Amino acid sequence: MYKILEKRRLNDSVTLMRVDAPLVAKKAGPGQFIILRIDENGERIPLTIAAYDRESGSVTIIFQKVGLTTMRLDEKEEGDELLDFVGPLGRVSHFGDVKGKRVAVIGGGLGIAIAYPQAVALANLGAEVDMIVGFRNIGLAILLDELSAVSKNLIVMTDDGSNGHRGFVTDALRQQLDAGVQYEHVVAIGPLPMMRAVSEMTRPLGIHTVVSMNPIMIDGTGMCGGCRLTVGGEMKFACVDGPEFDGHLVDFDEAMKRARMYAPEENLSRERHACRMEEAAKHVQ
Amino acid sequence: MYNKSPVKLPAREQDPIVRRGNFKEVSLGYSAEMAVEEASRCLNCKHQPCVEGCPVNVQIPKFIGLVKEGEFEKAYEVIRETNSLPAICGRVCPQESQCEAKCVRAIKGDPVGIGRLERFCADYAMARSCPVPELQPKNGKKVAVVGSGPAGLTCAGDLARLGYEVTIFEALHTPGGVLIYGIPEFRLPKRLVKQEIESVEAMGVKIEKNVVVGRSVSLDDLFDEGYSAVFVGSGAGLPKFQNIPGENLNGVYSANEFLTRINFMKAYTFPESDTPVRVGRRVAVIGGGNVAMDAARSALRLGAQEVSIVYRRSEKEMPARIEEIHHAREEGIIFKMLTAPTEILGDEKGSVRAMTCVEMELGEPDASGRRRPVVKRGSEFTMDVDTVVVAIGNSPNPLIRDTTPGLQTQRWGGIIVDDRGATSRENVYAGGDAVTGAATVILAMGAGKTAAQAIHEKLSKQG
């Protein structure tokens, strides 16, 4: 059992949890993920490691309520325990020599939480980090202090322009590139359409672009291939070969179709859970 | 007096029409009376060829003799002397190519139902209390076992008996390996696997779940933590695909994924359990081994209307157990032999709608001794399917070899060992599918047993 040491709601739908998992904390590196299972009937879901503390043996995850399991996870409180928490899984990010080089770390939606440790790692390697992050509106912004501490230049975009910067992260990247900023390396983490749009933008400029893929996973150890993707024309398993890949080589169309595989079942589970919670609430009243 | 019947006493079975709709065990085994009757077919041969045919050398005539006398628990103890998991072996071993293949009664008629008798004894004893076997006094040495499948469980059990402090590291959240995630409930009830694992734990073996060796911890870390030897029984869990167009369409599963969702995550109870699985109306399972049979029969039980096994050779070459092929056929699985898929076709949403195949003919024998299938010209045809399960085999997972410097492996990934299970790394042993590629439960157990003995000899010398 893995105890929840800390729980913090970052906004209405995004929650941070620090979990007691010494073995994972001991080995974790940037880019890696864990798989958790809440209880006996639970499914296994992958979540990126947002931070880790080797000394206290804790691992931080940040998740968004999008379906049954994340809704149920969000109902857990500090002191509660998770049945299974396994990791670190996937490969550690390899940034190469980025000392003194200018890099862009781009995060969309929950991807911001996942992009943050990448930015930290790059900054620690001596890179000059620009962060470009996007939110629906400024009220939903998360981790702004942390992001600004790690980046030379933080650009926050909002869909509704509520902070004066209306547009998508790709609009900001376009402006930077048009203004003549030379990036050696781009990291893009977020929804598939956003990672694709960034990759398409950097492709003609030949800027090395890394994306963090988030396909459906079960075991996370390479034994089922549920997370398979086509990268550079070859079949890859995101859980063992990734989750990071060269954005210019990923077949995003296929990945988007595969991500929707269980949409009907996911809706059923979510609705069923919402009904139950309503029933339970009535009962309490 | 012995029973002269040339026919092996059939086990009781669930009716095919009924069992198609449930995940309960198909074979109901022998009653006590039936076991005594079948046991008296054994001639108690002096030269005991059956024992040689068993990879862990169960004392077959001895235990069958006890069954004949109604001493079922004593018979179980005899089996347990050399076999840590008899309830499992009695059910899933391919006896027709092992113990029963060597039985003298098989020369004229059926062999003695050794597997069924083993299963009966195990079930009988386990339904009561199973005594913990006698253990040697603790010797203060620690051994780590990677993987809790049949190889690891056997190795761990044998070492615990010899006085070692044994810890098994398992990547998944429940131990058992393929016994838990692969072989379905209708062939191997999970309750029994659990019970067998508990009996290994009762001998003092610790099982650490959710530890991925190669990620959470490396082999070198284990030696640093004070383990004197490591046994790698990590299996062959990396699914092979065919490399034909359309394999990434929605509705195409590796058999590992399909069976893991169903067995391990209980997707057959969805939405009671949270893991979904998609089984369409028409399912094609590619392959001819036990895994293909398990996948096809699971698909049927999840409500598929038409399930076909698509295999590129003929039925004679199928590696699946005869009993499973027979069960599958009784349940209405369609066998499309000498057929090879060439492409999986999708619709605009990226879901499977059909599969094109070619017919094959058998040519000259290949390296495996089986006649090689050759494409029949102009035989291409299309099958309407909405789910495809690829069950063409697995190779060993690369995580351990990639993170263990100096561990020599075959080009296809199998760990290289000598005949006692020793690898190229000092005090690292390996066995089971991690060494051989996908094989059988009992061969993995045999390898675990040999390695336990070798580890014991090595560590005894090291003082």
Side-chain angles (χ1 to χ4, degrees):
Chain A
M1 300 291 270
Y2 303 82
K3 196 175 194 169
I4 299 167
L5 302 171
E6 184 188 344
K7 175 189 178 184
R8 198 152 34 103
R9 287 218 166 90
L10 301 181
N11 68 28
D12 283 352
S13 66
V14 177
T15 302
L16 173 151
M17 271 181 187
R18 204 158 53 80
V19 179
D20 182 39
L23 208 58
V24 183
K26 200 171 158 188
K27 285 271 169 164
Q32 290 190 296
F33 65 95
I34 56 96
I35 283 196
L36 65 79
R37 192 169 70 122
I38 296 173
D39 54 27
E40 204 44 58
N41 280 327
E43 62 180 335
R44 294 167 68 98
I45 62 158
L47 291 169
T48 302
I49 297 170
Y52 48 85
D53 180 352
R54 300 210 205 280
E55 264 174 41
S56 69
S58 70
V59 171
T60 303
I61 49 172
I62 299 179
F63 60 90
Q64 188 166 20
K65 280 188 285 177
V66 289
L68 173 71
T69 299
T70 43
M71 283 159 77
R72 291 181 55 212
L73 187 58
D74 190 57
E75 285 156 18
K76 294 280 169 195
E77 301 298 339
E78 278 174 20
D80 288 349
E81 290 183 326
L82 305 174
L83 185 56
D84 299 295
F85 193 90
V86 57
L89 300 169
R91 292 183 190 226
V92 178
S93 311
H94 284 290
F95 301 109
D97 181 19
V98 290
K99 202 171 162 63
K101 291 176 181 162
R102 194 151 180 192
V103 302
V105 177
I106 304 173
L110 184 69
I112 289 150
I114 305 164
Y116 168 63
Q118 303 293 87
V120 172
L122 283 161
N124 287 342
L125 288 169
E128 224 176 276
V129 182
D130 281 3
M131 280 205 86
I132 305 173
V133 298
F135 301 98
R136 276 211 315 283
N137 63 64
I138 197 65
L140 294 173
I142 57 168
L143 300 173
L144 285 185
D145 292 342
E146 286 89 341
L147 299 176
S148 108
V150 75
S151 37
K152 275 261 151 80
N153 187 13
L154 170 66
I155 303 171
V156 181
M157 303 298 287
T158 48
D159 294 2
D160 66 351
S162 48
N163 68 335
H165 296 279
R166 184 194 294 271
F168 298 125
V169 289
T170 38
D171 298 327
L173 176 63
R174 177 90 277 158
Q175 280 168 20
Q176 290 290 94
L177 295 171
D178 288 349
V181 180
Q182 304 260 330
Y183 290 118
E184 288 280 331
H185 188 78
V186 168
V187 177
I189 302 176
L192 291 166
M194 170 249 162
M195 293 196 286
R196 177 166 68 177
V198 169
S199 299
E200 287 313 322
M201 200 171 280
T202 57
R203 186 198 302 274
L205 301 169
I207 303 170
H208 183 236
T209 300
V210 169
V211 295
S212 180
M213 299 301 285
N214 49 5
I216 294 169
M217 285 189 192
I218 304 143
D219 60 286
T221 62
M223 63 170 258
C224 84
C227 65
R228 62 195 188 272
L229 303 163
T230 302
V231 181
E234 277 180 47
M235 186 188 286
K236 297 281 179 191
F237 291 3
C239 70
V240 288
D241 301 318
E244 290 176 0
F245 293 100
D246 182 338
H248 297 155
L249 298 179
V250 171
D251 183 339
F252 281 103
D253 266 345
E254 180 187 273
M256 285 171 172
K257 283 177 180 159
R258 285 185 68 78
R260 285 193 291 267
M261 163 104 192
Y262 291 104
E265 288 84 358
E266 284 162 7
N267 287 337
L268 172 68
S269 282
R270 191 169 41 224
E271 278 160 23
R272 209 163 153 264
H273 184 68
C275 285
R276 277 194 188 160
M277 295 313 288
E278 242 169 63
E279 280 298 310
K282 269 187 216 154
H283 208 73
V284 171
Q285 283 163 7
Chain B
M1 263 313 284
Y2 77 93
N3 174 352
K4 292 199 179 67
S5 165
V7 181
K8 190 199 284 188
L9 189 66
R12 299 163 299 175
E13 280 175 2
Q14 259 200 84
D15 186 276
I17 308 287
V18 177
R19 72 187 194 229
R20 279 177 56 149
N22 68 51
F23 272 83
K24 289 185 204 142
E25 191 170 22
V26 166
S27 170
L28 307 172
Y30 283 157
S31 65
E33 294 73 31
M34 292 165 80
V36 172
E37 186 185 335
E38 181 63 18
S40 40
R41 290 186 62 231
C42 175
L43 303 177
N44 194 16
C45 313
K46 281 264 163 357
H47 64 305
Q48 309 193 341
C50 52
V51 177
E52 250 171 75
C54 171
V56 296
N57 305 125
V58 168
Q59 297 305 301
I60 293 166
K62 190 172 169 194
F63 98 75
I64 292 184
L66 288 162
V67 173
K68 202 169 149 183
E69 288 160 25
E71 298 279 2
F72 305 135
E73 287 187 54
K74 278 190 189 154
Y76 176 68
E77 281 168 39
V78 168
I79 300 170
R80 284 267 293 179
E81 281 170 23
T82 61
N83 184 341
S84 307
L85 315 165
I88 294 163
C89 291
R91 286 175 166 82
V92 305
C93 271
Q95 288 100 7
E96 65 262 28
S97 57
Q98 297 179 338
C99 54
E100 294 183 17
K102 302 275 175 84
C103 177
V104 168
R105 292 297 306 261
I107 299 167
K108 279 185 186 174
D110 289 343
V112 174
I114 300 169
R116 289 173 189 170
L117 289 171
E118 177 177 52
R119 168 191 162 150
F120 168 77
C121 293
D123 289 359
Y124 184 91
M126 284 168 72
R128 288 149 185 90
S129 66
C130 24
V132 177
E134 243 176 83
L135 309 179
Q136 305 273 343
K138 288 263 174 239
N139 62 23
K141 287 180 185 153
K142 284 166 63 177
V143 178
V145 171
V146 182
S148 62
L153 286 172
T154 305
C155 186
D158 281 18
L159 286 168
R161 258 180 248 221
L162 292 164
Y164 292 87
E165 194 185 311
V166 186
T167 306
I168 301 183
F169 296 95
E170 167 56 47
L172 293 174
H173 59 250
T174 306
V178 75
L179 306 173
I180 285 287
Y181 75 73
I183 304 174
E185 182 76 21
F186 56 80
R187 206 147 76 76
L188 182 62
K190 301 298 157 249
R191 163 185 62 80
L192 287 172
V193 180
K194 260 192 167 157
Q195 219 178 332
E196 295 267 43
I197 291 170
E198 280 163 11
S199 73
V200 173
E201 286 177 297
M203 292 194 269
V205 173
K206 263 190 281 171
I207 303 182
E208 298 278 355
K209 297 172 287 182
N210 294 329
V211 180
V212 185
V213 175
R215 290 273 192 247
S216 319
V217 67
S218 70
L219 284 196
D220 291 306
D221 294 336
L222 292 174
F223 285 108
D224 289 346
E225 284 169 25
Y227 290 95
S228 308
V230 178
F231 173 76
V232 180
S234 50
L238 187 77
K240 289 183 191 163
F241 285 88
Q242 302 189 99
N243 292 317
I244 59 172
E247 270 183 315
N248 285 0
L249 288 166
N250 288 340
V252 182
Y253 289 97
S254 74
N256 269 10
E257 178 181 358
F258 193 64
L259 292 172
T260 297
R261 283 182 181 271
I262 297 168
N263 297 323
F264 193 61
M265 303 308 297
K266 300 265 176 294
Y268 64 86
T269 66
F270 180 86
E272 290 311 316
S273 107
D274 296 344
T275 305
V277 68
R278 183 78 60 78
V279 177
R281 287 162 30 123
R282 280 190 284 251
V283 180
V285 178
I286 301 162
N290 287 321
V291 176
M293 297 304 134
D294 288 344
R297 297 170 69 197
S298 297
L300 197 75
R301 283 160 171 76
L302 282 164
Q305 285 165 14
E306 198 181 289
V307 181
S308 308
I309 292 273
V310 178
Y311 183 55
R312 65 199 184 109
R313 303 182 200 246
S314 73
E315 186 170 333
K316 213 172 77 204
E317 287 82 23
M318 280 179 110
R321 291 186 61 199
I322 291 168
E323 187 179 357
E324 305 313 329
I325 297 172
H326 171 71
H327 281 155
R329 184 162 278 137
E330 278 185 337
E331 288 164 11
I333 305 284
I334 301 160
F335 284 71
K336 282 199 191 327
M337 299 293 97
L338 290 163
T339 304
T342 50
E343 182 173 0
I344 304 166
L345 307 170
D347 61 18
E348 68 290 346
K349 283 185 179 157
S351 298
V352 175
R353 63 174 178 83
M355 185 165 83
T356 54
C357 301
V358 285
E359 288 174 29
M360 312 293 278
E361 288 169 320
L362 289 182
E364 294 300 310
D366 64 10
S368 74
R370 294 183 298 182
R371 292 176 63 193
R372 195 154 52 119
V374 187
V375 177
K376 213 194 263 183
R377 253 168 205 267
S379 63
E380 192 170 289
F381 69 99
T382 302
M383 281 173 79
D384 285 337
V385 290
D386 44 22
T387 305
V388 175
V389 182
V390 184
I392 56 167
N394 295 302
S395 40
N397 191 301
L399 278 186
I400 290 174
R401 66 170 189 262
D402 286 355
T403 55
T404 309
L407 186 72
Q408 282 178 17
T409 55
Q410 312 274 5
R411 271 200 9 231
W412 51 267
I415 300 172
I416 297 172
V417 296
D418 67 10
D419 58 353
R420 308 291 313 281
T423 70
S424 56
R425 281 281 307 263
E426 182 83 12
N427 289 6
V428 175
Y429 292 76
D433 289 2
V435 167
T436 56
T440 62
V441 168
I442 189 75
L443 283 172
M445 291 177 55
K449 206 167 193 51
T450 306
Q453 203 56 45
I455 290 169
H456 179 49
E457 281 165 26
K458 180 78 183 286
L459 296 185
S460 306
K461 266 188 228 148
Q462 287 175 347

